[in-house]
Amino acid sequence: MTLTSSSDSVATGEKLLDDPRLNKGTAFTSEERERYGLQGLLPHAVESLNRQAERVMGHLEQKPSDLERYIYLIGLLDRNETLFYRVVMSDPARFLPIVYDPTVGEACLKFGHIYRRTRGMYVSHDMKGRVAEVLSNWPGRDVRFICVSTGGRILGLGDLGTNGMGIPIGKLQLYTACAAVPPDCCLPILLDIGTSNSALRADPMYLGLRRAPPPTEELDSFVDEFVQAVQEVFPGCCIHFEDWKGTDAIRLLAKYADKVLCYNDDIQGTASITLAGLTTALQIKGDRLVDQRILFFGAGSAGIGIGNLISVAMQSKGLSKDDADGRISLFDVDGLIEPSRKDLSASQEVYAHKAEPATDLVKAIEALKPTILIGVSTVGGTFTKRVVEAMCKLNERPVIFALSNPTEKAECTAEQAYIWSKGRTLFAAGVQFPDVMVDGKTYHPGQANNFYIFPAIGLATYAAKPTRITDECFIVAAEACADQVSSDLRDKGMLFPSQKNILETEVATATRVAEYMFDHGLATAERPREIRTWIEGMLYKPQY
Ligand code: NAI
């Protein structure tokens, strides 16, 4: 590590200890202490990174809750980035629920109250007209990823405005923690457009604009200025949209997907991990994707996004668009989506196929005979015993995904799905349910967690420098993810790779995605002889 600060001067003394990217704390050697004016500013002992990590683990054990662990770890990141990533990357499966979902949800709810120090940028609607100038204030120039949210729909918690900043910060940490993307090329941004959450606006600790979000046209014009400013200030940077209000998310992705380097994880990442789970399930059943009939329970941004990607995947396997769309049906709060409905959005109309109106899910299942049922409704307990049994009556091995989260919003639990189907269901959820025992056999329910996908997309993008990230990149990522589920795991009902070797999984997936980017003229980097070795050479290593 060169001890040069972002302003390119050699940092010394307290300034060096205050720079989280350069600080090594007690690991500064005697020679470095002498050279950089650190003598007397640190205790005598010179420690290894491992010894420092051991101390951090001890501190974490003393903390009474995951929220306290989160606050401690973010504090550590503010002091010593290398040590933070050494700890988090030592056991991602253990730390992801702390630095990200579900703890980050709680952290967002209390963001103004637990706020310590800024990380990333806050670009508010007030700055309209000078967004490029504001972005230029960021000290780093080689920004390759911006994760940007308005806070408009944070996890299942609604509009949290500026409190949503915990999400871009956490998402970008996962690029590094899961896929070893170098952290200094990542910039979290909260686009502060105000919040519709009046309780937040009344909270004296709230840190954002205290006003309602602007009308759509005004919002879009502000977002347009932001997107153009990113092209100007950080050319080649990928914009990752995250946790925007559903309608804004769909509209803006459609507007920018083929114009700039960007993607939306809520839409495309979710769709990709769901497709990965379906691919594994179909490999277990020995069935083809193009022969499935899929019913979505919930027709919001997640349902539409997954449906669209499945349709593209079916088309890539030979179906026409009409045939592929015809295999996908939606059911929402008002019942089955069919042509007599007058309340449909353009993206829902694509899946409004001729059928008898139905407001009872079981009736819809009996009429449509789906092989796959996917819950993205935000309403817990809606996949009742009747629903699971109706799927079992039609299918020897029904595929049932209950993706709504948090836990209490899951359409059914893993235990219910396995018990009601007598172990026949191929099941996945949005949350991690504990193992279930049915008739002496243990089932390990899979978690359709986007973290198998977006860090790998990030790593492939970091390496291959594509001009666009297309839907096909997400299909390739899904297939690569499914191909890494060992037969051992499949036997136990797992539809996703183990979380233990997450870096290995992400590198393998990123390699396939980068290969696709090279093969299809998306990449601008020079094609290496061996893509995997080339990518491995770029991985961030948390060491001094
Ligand atoms: P949304 O609010 O845009 O859509 C919800 C949809 O469910 C709407 O179409 C609504 O009409 C329908 N719905 C509501 N109540 C219903 C009921 N009683 N019966 C039938 N349909 C009903 O929400 P979005 O963004 O589509 O997310 C849906 C869920 O998916 C959320 O709980 C979210 O946590 C989950 N999700 C899971 C992911 C994962 O597992 N990787 C990723 C993204 C979302």
Side-chain angles (χ1 to χ4, degrees):
M1 182 195 278
T2 13
L3 297 177
T4 315
S5 73
S6 41
S7 58
D8 282 350
S9 57
V10 177
T12 55
E14 212 171 343
K15 202 167 164 220
L16 181 53
L17 298 178
D18 280 346
D19 188 331
R21 294 193 173 149
L22 303 178
N23 182 23
K24 304 182 190 181
T26 54
F28 278 114
T29 62
S30 313
E31 198 204 4
E32 285 168 337
R33 291 174 190 210
E34 199 180 325
R35 192 177 332 140
Y36 299 114
L38 297 170
Q39 282 174 327
L41 298 181
L42 292 161
H44 168 77
V46 175
E47 295 185 307
S48 66
L49 183 56
N50 283 346
R51 177 57 50 79
Q52 291 179 314
E54 233 175 82
R55 182 176 297 108
V56 170
M57 296 296 189
H59 289 167
L60 286 169
E61 266 164 39
Q62 310 276 319
K63 300 286 169 198
S65 67
D66 277 350
L67 183 61
E68 289 298 327
R69 286 181 196 101
Y70 173 89
I71 294 170
Y72 172 80
L73 282 170
I74 292 291
L76 175 63
L77 184 56
D78 287 337
R79 293 193 302 280
N80 184 334
E81 184 179 272
T82 312
L83 181 54
F84 169 85
Y85 282 113
R86 173 63 148 236
V87 169
V88 173
M89 291 171 84
S90 69
D91 190 355
R94 172 176 166 201
F95 287 106
L96 294 190
I98 300 173
V99 296
Y100 202 66
D101 199 17
T103 313
V104 74
E106 202 186 342
C108 285
L109 285 170
K110 299 175 180 157
F111 188 78
H113 295 254
I114 64 172
Y115 179 84
R116 303 296 202 266
R117 174 178 175 163
T118 183
R119 295 202 66 84
M121 298 194 82
Y122 297 81
V123 179
S124 70
H125 196 206
D126 278 0
M127 296 166 183
K128 187 156 172 23
R130 50 192 178 93
V131 174
E133 184 192 327
V134 170
L135 290 181
S136 307
N137 287 340
W138 184 249
R141 284 279 69 88
D142 187 24
V143 174
R144 299 284 308 281
F145 297 97
I146 285 174
C147 181
V148 61
S149 181
T150 52
R153 194 237 56 190
I154 293 301
L155 306 168
L157 304 167
D159 182 352
L160 296 187
T162 294
N163 282 19
M165 182 54 151
I167 297 293
I169 292 173
K171 273 267 146 93
L172 289 173
Q173 283 167 359
L174 299 200
Y175 277 54
T176 306
C178 298
V181 173
D184 50 5
C185 68
C186 298
L187 167 57
I189 294 187
L190 194 290
L191 220 51
D192 187 354
I193 58 165
T195 176
S196 55
N197 186 330
S198 50
L200 263 188
R201 294 202 307 253
D203 180 350
M205 293 288 171
Y206 183 61
L207 292 164
L209 283 178
R210 289 169 195 268
R211 60 165 94 132
T216 304
E217 216 172 294
E218 227 175 298
L219 169 67
D220 285 8
S221 142
F222 180 49
V223 174
D224 210 44
E225 183 185 338
F226 170 74
V227 170
Q228 298 320 321
V230 170
Q231 313 309 306
E232 194 184 311
V233 181
F234 306 118
C237 174
C238 170
I239 302 176
H240 164 167
F241 293 101
E242 185 71 37
D243 280 6
W244 291 54
K245 197 174 84 184
T247 42
D248 294 340
I250 294 174
R251 187 182 67 254
L252 293 167
L253 181 65
K255 180 169 174 185
Y256 293 112
D258 58 3
K259 293 196 181 59
V260 300
L261 181 62
C262 71
Y263 73 98
N264 182 310
D265 178 57
D266 303 304
I267 299 173
Q268 294 164 295
T270 299
S272 180
I273 191 59
T274 309
L275 181 61
L278 293 180
T279 306
T280 314
L282 296 176
Q283 285 169 355
I284 294 171
K285 286 174 65 161
D287 279 357
R288 301 184 316 162
L289 181 66
V290 291
D291 296 327
Q292 307 308 307
R293 284 179 304 280
I294 301 157
L295 177 59
F296 284 91
F297 184 69
S301 53
I304 301 276
I306 301 168
N308 289 348
L309 195 73
I310 291 175
S311 171
V312 176
M314 285 178 166
Q315 290 168 52
S316 74
K317 295 188 188 324
L319 290 196
S320 68
K321 178 162 174 15
D322 281 353
D323 286 347
D325 291 346
R327 294 193 155 269
I328 295 164
S329 300
L330 311 174
F331 189 105
D332 75 357
V333 67
D334 296 313
L336 185 64
I337 287 193
E338 39 76 30
S340 76
R341 291 268 301 262
K342 295 288 167 254
D343 56 338
L344 305 181
S345 66
S347 48
Q348 291 172 326
E349 271 169 6
V350 175
Y351 303 108
H353 313 304
K354 219 163 178 286
E356 280 297 305
T359 50
D360 176 37
L361 177 60
V362 172
K363 292 248 163 62
I365 290 173
E366 286 166 355
L368 300 170
K369 302 191 176 19
T371 53
I372 295 170
L373 176 65
I374 298 178
V376 271
S377 66
T378 70
V379 187
T382 35
F383 289 173
T384 57
K385 191 166 185 234
R386 269 179 76 228
V387 169
V388 173
E389 285 175 352
M391 286 298 289
C392 287
K393 210 179 263 179
L394 294 164
N395 302 284
E396 180 52 36
R397 301 219 60 189
V399 179
I400 300 180
F401 287 4
L403 296 184
S404 290
N405 57 59
T407 308
E408 62 277 11
K409 291 189 174 170
E411 284 77 6
C412 65
T413 65
E415 189 175 21
Q416 291 167 333
Y418 290 125
I419 289 180
W420 291 338
S421 69
K422 303 191 170 48
R424 280 161 52 194
T425 297
L426 291 158
F427 178 82
V431 297
Q432 184 61 61
F433 280 112
D435 291 355
V436 179
M437 175 98 97
V438 182
D439 293 335
K441 183 169 176 188
T442 304
Y443 295 86
H444 299 280
Q447 184 192 10
N449 197 319
N450 298 22
F451 72 49
Y452 288 108
I453 302 293
F454 71 83
I457 292 281
L459 181 57
T461 299
Y462 180 75
K465 300 190 172 138
T467 49
R468 302 283 179 272
I469 301 174
T470 60
D471 276 346
E472 285 73 15
C473 296
F474 286 91
I475 293 173
V476 171
E479 287 168 352
C481 183
D483 288 348
Q484 294 179 72
V485 186
S486 63
S487 53
D488 230 36
L489 292 176
R490 284 179 195 180
D491 285 349
K492 293 170 184 153
M494 285 280 290
L495 302 181
F496 305 96
S498 154
Q499 293 187 8
K500 285 216 180 77
N501 307 319
I502 191 79
L503 178 58
E504 172 69 27
T505 308
E506 306 276 1
V507 171
T509 302
T511 302
R512 295 257 295 264
V513 175
E515 200 170 359
Y516 178 89
M517 288 169 169
F518 281 113
D519 288 348
H520 291 80
L522 296 168
T524 63
E526 195 178 326
R527 187 174 189 133
R529 288 220 337 249
E530 225 282 296
I531 294 178
R532 179 162 179 137
T533 318
W534 175 69
I535 287 182
E536 280 172 350
M538 295 182 199
L539 301 181
Y540 166 78
K541 293 180 189 64
Q543 59 197 25
Y544 295 133

